[in-house]
Amino acid sequence: MEDFTCWWHPLGNLTEQEEIIYIFTYSKDEGPVVDCPDYISGGPNSCHFDSSHTSIWKMYCMNVTAVTAHRNYTSQQHCLDVAEIVQTEAPVNLTYKLTDAGGDELGHNVALTWAYPVPTDLQYGWITLVYELRYRRIAEVHNWKVKQPFREPRMELLGLPVGHYVVQVRCRSHNSGLWSRWSKELAMSIPARAPAGKLLVMVLALGVGVVALIVIILGVIPQSRRIKDYFLPPIPKPRIIGIDPLLLKKGHLDAINRHFSGFHNYCPPSYTEEVWENVMKGKNVPK
């Protein structure tokens, strides 16, 4: 906002021999009307205001008069504030980074960042910027998708499908409707596979899992017998003090009875032999 230039279109439908003189006049905050300070620096049909003639936060009202041999032509008055006509520089250093990969169906999240070429203008508060970002697939020349307006020099695109894209960004003062030029195009490629960072994390996680499984197999399985004995101790076999278990297995009842005869009120069982009579069919049995 140190200086500015005004231009006008010359009159048409006049003969080339007719001489025309243009007079540019202006006033500041309804002050006295004065002539243009510089008709040369801005080129033909212009008026340039250097830093000594530029005032911030003041209203300029101006018009142009074309003086011909027959009559004068005066334009409509045009009023403006310097802050309203600031055209900012195009942003620079536009970069991108994949922040999340959800696969081919969900797409990827992409973080975009950029910078203003004159950061001191922002640091001193002379201007507050708003941004506009646009992107498209490389093959779709006229199918731009636009994100605007926002004030931070960053933007995250969510769920961007796999493919190749072109991205640009521009800015303007929040008091002005004049956008800067678009930044240089940034070619952006969204891969079908996970980004290298996530792929590395997946490989490391898989490796750690395999190592842990091997440690479990080599360390826990050989100790399974000991663990089983700790949690499930063997059931003791029934045993009677003073009795040889082999006697119970071999079935020597006489020896067993002799051992038990020492117990109080023990009576050895009595055994009887069952008598089977052979019944023969077809023979008379005496009554």
Side-chain angles (χ1 to χ4, degrees), residues 108-184:
H108 299 261
N109 296 343
V110 182
L112 293 147
T113 58
W114 56 88
Y116 189 67
V118 191
T120 54
D121 290 351
L122 307 181
Q123 293 173 0
Y124 296 146
W126 287 110
I127 194 170
T128 300
L129 297 180
V130 293
Y131 299 96
E132 181 179 75
L133 182 140
R134 68 179 185 179
Y135 66 97
R136 62 172 175 83
R137 290 182 180 270
I138 291 181
E140 301 173 356
V141 179
H142 301 292
N143 190 20
W144 289 99
K145 293 179 175 58
V146 180
K147 300 286 187 180
Q148 63 94 22
F150 49 95
R151 294 194 176 186
E152 297 298 326
R154 63 185 67 88
M155 166 65 68
E156 187 170 11
L157 302 177
L158 304 178
L160 203 62
V162 173
H164 302 283
Y165 296 82
V166 171
V167 185
Q168 287 181 302
V169 66
R170 65 179 181 176
C171 62
R172 65 174 174 83
S173 168
H174 79 287
N175 292 323
S176 172
L178 295 175
W179 287 99
S180 71
R181 300 182 307 275
W182 286 104
S183 66
K184 293 182 179 180

Side-chain angles (χ1 to χ4, degrees), residues 43-213:
N45 305 315
S46 70
C47 178
H48 178 71
F49 293 79
D50 57 17
S51 58
S52 62
H53 292 85
T54 300
S55 300
I56 305 174
W57 320 127
K58 288 189 176 183
M59 187 66 66
Y60 286 74
C61 289
M62 57 195 72
N63 54 36
V64 180
T65 300
V67 179
T68 67
H70 303 285
R71 54 169 295 186
N72 297 341
Y73 302 88
T74 301
S75 68
Q76 293 182 348
Q77 190 179 56
H78 181 68
C79 297
L80 59 88
D81 187 331
V82 174
E84 297 174 353
I85 61 171
V86 173
Q87 186 173 25
T88 55
E89 299 291 333
V92 295
N93 299 333
L94 179 59
T95 58
Y96 79 97
K97 178 182 179 182
L98 296 179
T99 59
D100 184 43
D104 293 354
E105 295 183 359
L106 298 178
H108 299 261
N109 296 343
V110 182
L112 293 147
T113 58
W114 56 88
Y116 189 67
V118 191
T120 54
D121 290 351
L122 307 181
Q123 293 173 0
Y124 296 146
W126 287 110
I127 194 170
T128 300
L129 297 180
V130 293
Y131 299 96
E132 181 179 75
L133 182 140
R134 68 179 185 179
Y135 66 97
R136 62 172 175 83
R137 290 182 180 270
I138 291 181
E140 301 173 356
V141 179
H142 301 292
N143 190 20
W144 289 99
K145 293 179 175 58
V146 180
K147 300 286 187 180
Q148 63 94 22
F150 49 95
R151 294 194 176 186
E152 297 298 326
R154 63 185 67 88
M155 166 65 68
E156 187 170 11
L157 302 177
L158 304 178
L160 203 62
V162 173
H164 302 283
Y165 296 82
V166 171
V167 185
Q168 287 181 302
V169 66
R170 65 179 181 176
C171 62
R172 65 174 174 83
S173 168
H174 79 287
N175 292 323
S176 172
L178 295 175
W179 287 99
S180 71
R181 300 182 307 275
W182 286 104
S183 66
K184 293 182 179 180
E185 291 185 349
L186 171 67
M188 185 170 61
S189 179
I190 307 301
R193 62 183 185 278
K198 279 213 163 185
L199 186 60
L200 179 60
V201 172
M202 292 174 61
V203 171
L204 291 176
L206 182 61
V208 172
V210 171
V211 172
L213 182 61

